[in-house]
Amino acid sequence: MPPQVAAQLEHRREPLVAEAQQQVTGRQVGQPDAERVAQPGGQRARLDRVRGRADAADVVHRKAPLLAWPDDTTAAAAEPRRRVQLRLGVDQRAGHGRPGDAGVHEIPAVQTGCRLVGAVGAGLAGLGRLGEVVQRHDVHGSVEGERYQLQPAPLRLEPPGERERVGAVDLRVGDDEPVAVHVGAVHHAGRPARRGAVGRGHHRRLHRRGDDRAGPPVGQLHDVAVAVPAPEVGRAGDPDPVVVQPWRRRGHGPPPVRRSSVRRRRTLTWNSVPRLVSGVTDSTAIRHLPDHDAFLLTGSGFSYAFAVGADGSLRHLHWGGPLGASDVAALLGDDARDFGSNTWSHPRAHTEELVQHGGRRLDETALKVEFADGVRALDLAYAGHRIAGDELAVTLTDRHYPFDAVLSYRVRPDEGVLERRCELVNRGEHPVVVDRAASASWPLPWRPRWEATWLAGMYAAETQVTRRALGPGRLVLESRRGIPGHAAQPWLALDAGAGDTTGEVWSVALAWSGSWRLVGELAFDGRLHVTAGVNDYDLRLPLAPGTSWTTPVVAGVYTAAGHDDLTDRWHRYERRHVAPRPDTIRPVLYNSWEATFFDVRPESQVELARRAAGLGAELFVVDDGWFAGRDDESAGIGDWTPDARRFPDGLAPLAEEVHRLGMRFGVWVEPESVSPDSELFRAHPDWIFQWPTRPRTLARQTHLLALSRPEVRDHLVTALDGLLSSAPIDALKWDLNRPLTEASDGVDASSPWIAQVEGLYEVIDRVRALHPGVWIESCASGGGRADLGIMSRTEWTWPSDNTDALERLAIQHGYLRAHSPHTMMAWVTDSPTYLTKREIPLRFRFHSAMCGLLGIGGNLATWSTDELAGAAEHVTRYKHIRTTVQFGTVRRLDADAPDDVTALSYQAPDGGQLAVFAFAPSVRHLRRTVLLRLRDLDPAAVYVDADTGARHSGALLMHHGLRVPLVGDYASALVVLDRAP
Ligand code: GLA
């Protein structure tokens, strides 16, 4: 029986896939995509990445894919964890091989020069834990099959020589094909092994404990070669762009989906902007230098280098400005042990790629596990690597236990971003407990001093720029709340005295929407390394035999051009690689929370909607209070059905009225919580986190649902699908207002800190797949959840409940350090605002909110005719500049302005428009104007003031400045400059 083509379901789209798509569809390689940054969480398959049929037509690659399959599939199925011999074959379909060739051509074992032994049986045994059915589909027109997505399984070439990970395992279980296991998809390098560097020398390092059987040199397994295009969320320029394979149930998976009878109006479309970015994958971004057994990773303005040491360790060499391959020898000769240490650690953390707990390591470690025999020390050594496009995976294998740590590096060449993560693989027969698993540690070069910049805060005062000199010791930024929290963003920048436009800056950010930890450890000798990952607070993550877990991604940025450039790089990265619908203009929002709070009634909402539409709003969101039992905070969360007293016919009439007014319609939800006074809790009191013998902690009068439990996830998907299908709902504000406490889901003995976040991601992904047109705003009591992980699944975030336009400026200033303005919602609310009671004029309130995504959140029923007219003018003006604001280059101009002035400029992606904002809460000392020097303009260009017609040269604006009037209290200005043709 010839094997079917193995489908490679990578955790996210690979460059290889882009190539495949290019060949299939002619699309441009490297188009901005909406890849998910966060990792799947290894033990659960990613549902959202499955798109299209995994048949041969999808498989296109320049080289012939090498497939591997078990010699005896029946035995593999019957005897779980049995080691099976794999056969190799070249796939001649999909354009490989001679015309007319069909099927898979087996390569005789003798030709491979090796025997492949894979842990395929382990995959079968661990099926329940390893993966889930992601798709049932037709296999070659006749046999109905199921496709499972599993985590990568290790393959080993025997005799031992190389150990290589080859990506996902694809299983098909068909009716007349009891078990077919295909391990896909690898390339055989087809060349002799590098004898010295990797062949026998390496073999000796790995098996120095007596298992030093000499064997013939073996080939390396290279490149993932078979790929299925991943789903694209929010493809640029597509007005209704989410394309994800819908979940179809056949005996497995979640309950059937109840489709709505509601007919969706399709007359409203979101605005698109012309393509703003283009990226080209640079296949030379990652180089292996065999002479030194070193790796050189290069992107725009940076290099990162490390090497395999003689003892099998991974020695860090460089993270900083660009270097050439010829520099690596010098790096290797540079003995980092010149420095003494106050920590007495050996080796020192800044010399290692992975700081594992074990030996004399006393610096901050990244990885700690406990083996079944109680041993809590690791002893990992290099075992092989794989380069696929701009991603490098280096496998470290424990010298005693069947345990791997696979370090992944992915270069985003154009943004100068390096993404890292670590996969932990238990290949053994006993469980391993993970106690600490950071995504990466980042060694920084020696500098005489270090300054740290981070975004600290609290509820209603999030993302305050905080800058301190680092002293010897540890800077620990973290959340223990189960969400990223308000206390700090999982983001950190370090410099040795950089300014806005000059100096080196290193920065890291974690794509994780749960508890996290960033540690900057500075030794007395000036050596600094940063560890970033999930928080090990109360963490106990058992890895069952044959399973793996992958940490979330941590992204690192280096720039030599100061904090402006750092901001640009983070913004570009979010636009190109993180946020869905990267090229779609965000709508002007109206949200009714501060207008009506819990008193949500159809009549008042319609009145608000009429007024909002009159101002130019494009999306109308009904906040908390619309659902059954929700008269106040005490009840109703969990039952996502409209309050029958107020909405006897459901939400459809209101939604349709909003649509008639020309706006999209959205509602607020808090899916992860449940009120004790709710139908859901009465039916399923066991679905929350709780200890049987301890009191349950209520927070904002709710419990937290255990999304670690599949039935809870299925219920939420069904409930949200029911809601979204019951009325033409276009958007959700997805909130969470409580921390994770009592960390036990009553089922799984492991601590649920990670499963909860992975469960949330799964629920969002499934809801998005079912309702691809729906947009989502992320909120957690304001800005408690605004990390790269959630941002890869939501269109924008709500940075703070504090809508005081003055205080908002500081919040926005910090937010923009880490995040692009096209993710930053801001509302104009009533004066005085309900939290701070401050009175601020309408103009200042609008100008402040126009620095991000403009929303309106005031009680428009009480606004005067003049206020409504003024508001409408501001909305019109905003629409004129919003492409520039949402997708432009941001410059903070404060450094050049008086202390009481906040100023910033946005330059359109094509340089054609500038929007300059200036604010002063109370102008003093007879000052009537400020002179703001703009940055990064074309000195030879002429810029025309859109209001006055005044013409300024770029040189004048940069070197002398733009004079902006600011007088009195709550003075603000918006100057729009158009570049003369
Ligand atoms: C949280 C959010 C607010 C609002 C309320 C509703 O506090 O941050 O914006 O949605 O919940 O209860």
Side-chain angles (χ1 to χ4, degrees):
M1 175 189 63
Q4 312 294 346
V5 173
Q8 167 67 39
L9 300 173
E10 277 288 327
H11 63 277
R12 52 192 168 158
R13 198 168 57 171
E14 296 293 326
L16 292 171
V17 178
E19 288 169 17
Q21 286 182 326
Q22 185 186 34
Q23 293 180 45
V24 171
T25 66
R27 282 182 56 244
Q28 178 193 356
V29 172
Q31 280 181 334
D33 52 30
E35 291 175 32
R36 304 294 162 81
V37 170
Q39 279 307 291
Q43 294 175 42
R44 223 182 343 266
R46 284 292 297 271
L47 311 176
D48 60 316
R49 304 219 174 266
V50 183
R51 175 190 179 225
R53 298 221 345 233
D55 57 23
D58 287 325
V59 180
V60 178
H61 195 266
R62 286 167 303 182
K63 304 172 201 168
L66 185 79
L67 303 181
W69 66 95
D71 206 24
D72 185 344
T73 53
T74 316
E79 283 185 56
R81 282 195 289 283
R82 172 196 168 114
R83 299 186 77 77
V84 293
Q85 182 166 334
L86 299 177
R87 291 153 64 190
L88 297 177
V90 175
D91 179 14
Q92 298 288 15
R93 289 165 292 192
H96 306 291
R98 297 181 304 277
D101 265 345
V104 173
H105 292 229
E106 189 171 349
I107 306 171
V110 62
Q111 250 181 279
T112 66
C114 63
R115 194 164 59 94
L116 264 174
V117 177
V120 176
L124 285 172
L127 188 58
R129 292 180 299 276
L130 273 169
E132 296 176 358
V133 182
V134 291
Q135 190 184 29
R136 285 185 68 86
H137 65 121
D138 205 340
V139 178
H140 287 249
S142 56
V143 182
E144 183 73 3
E146 286 179 347
R147 196 171 70 203
Y148 295 79
Q149 184 179 0
L150 305 185
Q151 284 305 297
L155 284 186
R156 191 168 65 192
L157 291 170
E158 287 196 342
E162 283 289 330
R163 188 185 298 254
E164 195 69 36
R165 305 198 57 73
V166 295
V169 180
D170 190 63
L171 266 80
R172 294 220 176 103
V173 182
D175 293 343
D176 65 352
E177 191 185 353
V179 181
V181 182
H182 307 295
V183 179
V186 295
H187 271 303
H188 192 268
R191 59 183 169 80
R194 291 156 288 133
R195 279 171 188 274
V198 179
R200 301 183 68 168
H202 167 63
H203 158 77
R204 250 193 306 283
R205 283 203 298 273
L206 250 187
H207 299 276
R208 63 191 163 87
R209 290 182 185 158
D211 186 23
D212 200 8
R213 288 173 289 153
V218 294
Q220 268 196 293
L221 296 174
H222 270 282
D223 295 346
V224 175
V226 181
V228 176
E232 301 141 29
V233 179
R235 176 148 302 286
D238 186 342
D240 198 3
V242 177
V243 185
V244 180
Q245 180 77 12
W247 186 291
R248 292 275 177 266
R249 183 170 194 259
R250 281 290 286 278
H252 297 274
V257 168
R258 184 168 59 80
R259 304 309 305 178
S260 158
S261 57
V262 173
R263 267 198 316 123
R264 286 180 169 263
R265 289 162 56 103
R266 282 292 168 203
T267 47
L268 298 166
T269 55
W270 302 101
N271 302 302
S272 291
V273 288
R275 177 161 308 289
L276 297 168
V277 289
S278 66
V280 177
T281 299
D282 179 359
S283 56
T284 63
I286 295 181
R287 294 175 65 187
H288 178 235
L289 309 173
D291 289 351
H292 305 296
D293 229 348
F295 300 90
L296 182 63
L297 286 55
T298 306
S300 157
F302 89 98
S303 286
Y304 188 101
F306 60 96
V308 182
D311 58 354
S313 63
L314 281 192
R315 179 178 161 194
H316 178 80
L317 298 176
H318 176 76
W319 183 27
L323 295 178
S326 57
D327 299 317
V328 168
L331 292 175
L332 282 164
D334 178 29
D335 188 349
R337 289 169 304 171
D338 284 346
F339 294 86
S341 164
N342 59 318
T343 67
W344 296 87
S345 187
H346 179 79
R348 295 287 305 284
H350 65 270
T351 67
E352 292 200 287
E353 279 301 292
L354 175 71
V355 188
Q356 53 188 293
H357 179 86
R360 206 182 87 190
R361 289 183 185 82
L362 305 171
D363 292 332
E364 182 79 12
T365 56
L367 180 63
K368 183 180 176 206
V369 304
E370 180 173 346
F371 294 103
D373 59 5
V375 169
R376 296 192 305 280
L378 284 157
D379 187 8
L380 297 166
Y382 171 82
H385 72 270
R386 175 173 62 90
I387 296 174
D390 51 15
E391 185 153 12
L392 162 69
V394 180
T395 300
L396 302 176
T397 294
D398 195 275
R399 289 189 167 98
H400 183 82
Y401 298 94
F403 179 84
D404 296 341
V406 184
L407 310 188
S408 289
Y409 301 79
R410 181 173 200 164
V411 178
R412 301 292 191 178
D414 297 339
E415 297 77 29
V417 174
L418 179 60
E419 291 175 357
R420 295 178 60 188
R421 64 187 193 278
C422 178
E423 182 187 15
L424 306 174
V425 188
N426 178 7
R427 290 180 289 100
E429 312 243 314
H430 306 287
V432 172
V433 177
V434 178
D435 290 324
R436 169 178 288 195
S439 300
S441 41
W442 298 86
L444 281 85
W446 187 90
R447 292 292 182 273
R449 74 190 75 82
W450 284 103
E451 302 253 1
T453 306
W454 70 96
L455 304 172
M458 61 180 201
Y459 174 73
E462 296 87 339
T463 53
Q464 307 287 320
V465 176
T466 307
R467 189 165 163 79
R468 299 278 186 279
L470 280 185
R474 286 177 194 163
L475 169 71
V476 179
L477 306 176
E478 66 173 350
S479 161
R480 299 178 172 196
R481 290 177 52 192
I483 54 170
H486 302 74
Q489 284 270 311
W491 180 95
L492 175 66
L494 295 152
D495 64 73
D500 281 334
T501 56
T502 56
E504 293 181 297
V505 193
W506 292 257
S507 181
V508 296
L510 186 69
W512 185 243
S513 309
S515 296
W516 56 273
R517 191 163 183 265
L518 278 180
V519 182
E521 185 175 45
L522 180 63
F524 191 76
D525 60 12
R527 288 296 183 170
L528 173 62
H529 79 288
V530 174
T531 310
V534 298
N535 204 327
D536 60 354
Y537 166 73
D538 193 35
L539 182 70
R540 263 185 88 74
L541 179 67
L543 267 189
T547 65
S548 72
W549 179 72
T550 304
T551 69
V553 162
V554 58
V557 173
Y558 165 82
T559 172
H563 284 273
D564 276 358
D565 192 54
L566 180 71
T567 299
D568 291 349
R569 285 169 186 261
W570 281 125
H571 289 189
R572 279 205 304 272
Y573 176 61
E574 284 192 347
R575 288 169 185 160
R576 293 183 189 184
H577 302 293
V578 181
R581 303 180 217 268
D583 290 350
T584 309
I585 290 174
R586 276 38 180 163
V588 174
L589 167 77
Y590 180 85
N591 178 294
S592 65
W593 173 239
E594 289 194 26
T596 57
F597 292 102
F598 293 106
D599 186 17
V600 175
R601 285 173 291 112
E603 319 79 59
S604 52
Q605 295 295 319
V606 167
E607 179 55 23
L608 287 170
R610 281 203 192 102
R611 290 181 174 235
L615 299 186
E618 297 156 315
L619 169 63
F620 182 88
V621 172
V622 178
D623 211 283
D624 197 352
W626 58 268
F627 44 96
R630 193 64 168 172
D631 295 328
D632 53 35
E633 279 184 6
S634 68
I637 299 243
D639 303 336
W640 301 111
T641 49
D643 185 323
R645 295 165 300 162
R646 292 175 277 177
F647 297 98
D649 300 319
L651 290 174
L654 176 58
E656 280 159 11
E657 178 60 22
V658 167
H659 279 198
R660 263 193 292 280
L661 291 165
M663 296 181 292
R664 297 273 182 150
F665 179 75
V667 291
W668 178 95
V669 287
E670 188 176 339
E672 298 139 85
S673 299
V674 62
S675 305
D677 185 2
S678 66
E679 295 305 321
L680 179 66
F681 186 73
R682 279 185 280 276
H684 299 286
D686 56 322
W687 277 8
I688 62 165
F689 288 117
Q690 56 189 318
W691 297 114
T693 57
R694 303 286 179 223
R696 303 167 179 148
T697 304
L698 276 174
R700 210 191 184 208
Q701 306 200 44
T702 62
H703 295 299
L704 192 64
L705 288 170
L707 273 61
S708 49
R709 295 172 63 151
E711 67 271 36
V712 178
R713 298 195 296 273
D714 289 349
H715 166 81
L716 284 182
V717 173
T718 305
L720 291 170
D721 176 52
L723 168 64
L724 292 169
S725 302
S726 71
I729 296 171
D730 308 293
L732 292 175
K733 177 177 173 185
W734 191 303
D735 203 347
L736 175 61
N737 287 297
R738 61 152 298 143
L740 198 168
T741 57
E742 290 83 45
S744 164
D745 68 8
V747 177
D748 193 336
S750 59
S751 64
W753 298 94
I754 287 169
Q756 180 71 2
V757 180
E758 292 174 352
L760 169 71
Y761 289 165
E762 181 194 307
V763 171
I764 296 179
D765 293 345
R766 285 167 62 184
V767 169
R768 288 193 75 115
L770 289 170
H771 296 275
V774 168
W775 292 39
I776 301 179
E777 171 177 21
S778 170
C779 171
S781 310
R785 190 153 62 187
D787 64 284
L788 292 171
I790 202 73
M791 284 179 152
S792 70
R793 296 174 161 79
T794 54
E795 273 71 14
W796 60 80
T797 72
W798 177 231
S800 180
D801 273 358
N802 190 341
T803 56
D804 176 317
L806 177 64
E807 301 208 358
R808 196 77 177 200
L809 290 178
I811 294 167
Q812 294 180 169
H813 240 48
Y815 185 98
L816 289 174
R817 293 273 181 150
H819 305 302
S820 159
H822 86 292
T823 68
M824 183 177 82
M825 180 54 72
W827 306 340
V828 175
T829 53
D830 292 340
S831 176
T833 48
Y834 92 104
L835 276 179
T836 64
K837 312 292 181 217
R838 184 174 279 130
E839 294 198 38
I840 299 181
L842 191 74
R843 173 187 164 91
F844 190 107
R845 280 182 274 150
F846 262 97
H847 284 165
S848 170
M850 286 161 79
C851 291
L853 305 182
L854 176 63
I856 299 164
N859 187 356
L860 298 180
T862 65
W863 285 24
S864 69
T865 316
D866 282 354
E867 283 175 315
L868 291 171
E873 273 176 32
H874 285 298
V875 172
T876 304
R877 190 122 204 256
Y878 177 72
K879 288 179 178 172
H880 179 61
I881 60 167
R882 68 173 154 183
T883 306
T884 299
V885 169
Q886 295 181 6
F887 300 99
T889 306
V890 184
R891 292 286 174 261
R892 299 168 292 268
L893 305 176
D894 306 8
D896 231 12
D899 283 352
D900 57 345
V901 171
T902 298
L904 59 175
S905 68
Y906 297 76
Q907 182 169 187
D910 65 359
Q913 188 183 59
L914 283 164
V916 182
F917 292 91
F919 304 88
S922 182
V923 176
R924 300 175 62 208
H925 303 147
L926 302 179
R927 202 179 65 225
R928 306 229 167 254
T929 60
V930 287
L931 194 58
L932 301 172
R933 278 193 293 161
L934 308 186
R935 295 203 284 281
D936 299 312
L937 308 187
D938 177 355
V942 171
Y943 296 87
V944 184
D945 188 314
D947 290 324
T948 67
R951 297 169 73 86
H952 314 283
S953 74
L956 180 100
L957 293 171
M958 287 197 292
H959 304 312
H960 176 72
L962 173 72
R963 192 159 287 285
V964 178
L966 283 181
V967 191
D969 287 345
Y970 294 109
S972 68
L974 163 60
V975 180
V976 179
L977 300 169
D978 294 314
R979 184 179 168 142

